[in-house]
Amino acid sequence: MIGAGIVALATAWLLQCRGHRVRLIAPDADGPDLQECRSGSAAALGVLMAQVFRRSRGRAWRLRQTSLSLWTQWCQELNGRGCPVPFQAGLLLVPRDEGEAERLRLLLMERQALGLPLSWWEPSRLQELGLGDNGRRTGGLHSAEDGQLNPLVAMDAFRRDGLRRGLELFSDRVVELERRPAGWRVHGHSAAQAMETEWVVVAAGLASEGLLAPLGHQRPLQPVLGQCLELAVTPPARWPCPVVWQGLNLVPQPSGKLWLGATLEPGDLADPGLLEPMRQLADEALGGGLREAVVIRRWQGLRARPIGRPAPLLEQLEPGLLLLCGHHRNGVLLAPASAQWAVDQIEGSLTCR
Ligand SMILES: Cc1cc2nc3c(=O)[nH]c(=O)nc-3n(C[C@H](O)[C@H](O)[C@H](O)COP(=O)(O)OP(=O)(O)OC[C@H]3O[C@@H](n4cnc5c(N)ncnc54)[C@H](O)[C@@H]3O)c2cc1C
């Protein structure tokens, strides 16, 4: 496994649960680097938006539904193994105007017809929760099974449970993949000896492109930077789940703090000038409830967006070489379905022999 983001760790964990031996190599194999610019997974807010997704068919919809259902099962399993991953159930989409409210009401009817637990929260309920602004708003769409989890906690749980199951971690940066008659040789930057393996799973985020190009696989990826804020809010937010307002996520934390994010900035340079408008937008969502809030932390991370191909890239590029990357905005949500896909490829090829 190359990479130690949520996609690599989820895949490594699932492979181990199925009895496979896994070696994972990445510079941050022992834990994420929480420097100012983080990997996508270490920066993510962990919002899982599956059932309120705008389409209800096709690959993206299927991946989202599979993932949400796997996250529910996996959280229970990890909790049972002493590696809890708290899941904050529910997601509330607050429309900015009547036009958007109308679109969300149509979505509600469509999803209810599929038997999904979506409902409309009236303006009075939003006001009770501190979300309305004197009844002008239209209410909002609530999805009971979508939700949020802390990606750092989830990655730590996969790693800890994985280590107990025999996961082998190597802190190194892969510099080359070499074809061998019976598999692959993985060259690390500092390892004296290269690793021999039958299967390689490349889940190295933006670095995947550079590892694959010398093998003749062109998979261009564009970095898209995201910035987030953590605020101390007094009194703490009263609403029971993350709120989405004009594309902005407001994620209440158990500590009473509030996460806000994330910007979408093509490239890898953060524009600090985008933070204040983001905060103002959140303040608007709360009818002025954030004016006194204090910024405790800010951070940023990079997403990998595929150029010319739909996200995510889940591909068997040649025998024994899998690619799991380019998840762009939904890698936390889609990690379980990506892992499941990889395990199916590996086990499918074993049964064909
Ligand atoms: C600010 C922000 C907020 C987000 N919020 C959400 C959200 O709410 N919900 C959601 O679903 N998604 C969210 N995302 C998107 C999500 O974070 C990504 O889609 C996801 O993290 C991608 O995971 P990954 O494992 O593919 O890549 P990454 O997390 O980028 O991990 C790449 C890994 O590869 C390793 N690596 C790099 N180079 C090499 C090398 N040469 N050799 C070995 N290893 C290497 C890195 O060290 C790292 O471990 C957000 C992203 C950002 C930036």
Side-chain angles (χ1 to χ4, degrees), residues 53-237:
F53 183 53
R54 59 189 183 286
R55 286 196 296 273
S56 62
R57 59 169 70 99
R59 173 184 183 250
W61 169 257
R62 284 194 303 276
L63 285 174
R64 284 171 191 247
Q65 300 313 303
T66 304
S67 254
L68 189 62
S69 143
L70 286 173
W71 265 127
T72 312
Q73 291 169 33
W74 291 9
C75 285
Q76 282 172 9
E77 191 169 339
L78 288 162
N79 289 348
R81 292 180 58 84
C83 302
V85 181
F87 181 78
Q88 188 175 181
L91 200 60
L92 180 65
L93 273 58
V94 180
R96 68 187 302 186
D97 53 29
E98 264 303 335
E100 195 186 349
E102 204 42 51
R103 282 193 293 281
L104 290 181
R105 283 203 183 90
L106 287 173
L107 191 70
L108 168 70
M109 285 193 291
E110 190 193 302
R111 297 300 142 90
Q112 283 179 334
L114 295 175
L116 300 178
L118 271 64
S119 59
W120 196 260
W121 283 13
E122 295 304 326
S124 55
R125 182 153 186 195
L126 267 56
Q127 276 174 44
E128 277 165 32
L129 295 170
L131 285 166
D133 60 350
N134 306 323
R136 186 162 58 85
R137 292 248 173 84
T138 46
L141 175 64
H142 182 258
S143 171
E145 289 180 356
D146 287 315
Q148 186 265 348
L149 49 77
N150 184 328
L152 291 174
V153 173
M155 287 195 287
D156 185 54
F158 287 134
R159 191 180 290 100
R160 281 195 293 136
D161 195 43
L163 284 170
R164 277 199 229 139
R165 294 175 189 263
L167 176 65
E168 297 165 62
L169 297 177
F170 300 86
S171 296
D172 203 355
R173 182 168 57 84
V174 174
V175 289
E176 188 193 346
L177 299 175
E178 183 190 346
R179 288 185 190 97
R180 303 292 297 160
W184 295 88
R185 186 172 279 168
V186 177
H187 297 269
H189 174 69
S190 51
Q193 235 187 338
M195 247 182 236
E196 302 279 342
T197 176
E198 192 180 349
W199 283 90
V200 174
V201 180
V202 179
L206 285 164
S208 306
E209 177 181 353
L211 290 173
L212 296 172
L215 299 169
H217 303 294
Q218 307 302 329
R219 294 293 180 276
L221 296 166
Q222 181 196 25
V224 178
L225 188 136
Q227 301 186 70
C228 301
L229 291 174
E230 183 177 71
L231 306 179
V233 189
T234 341

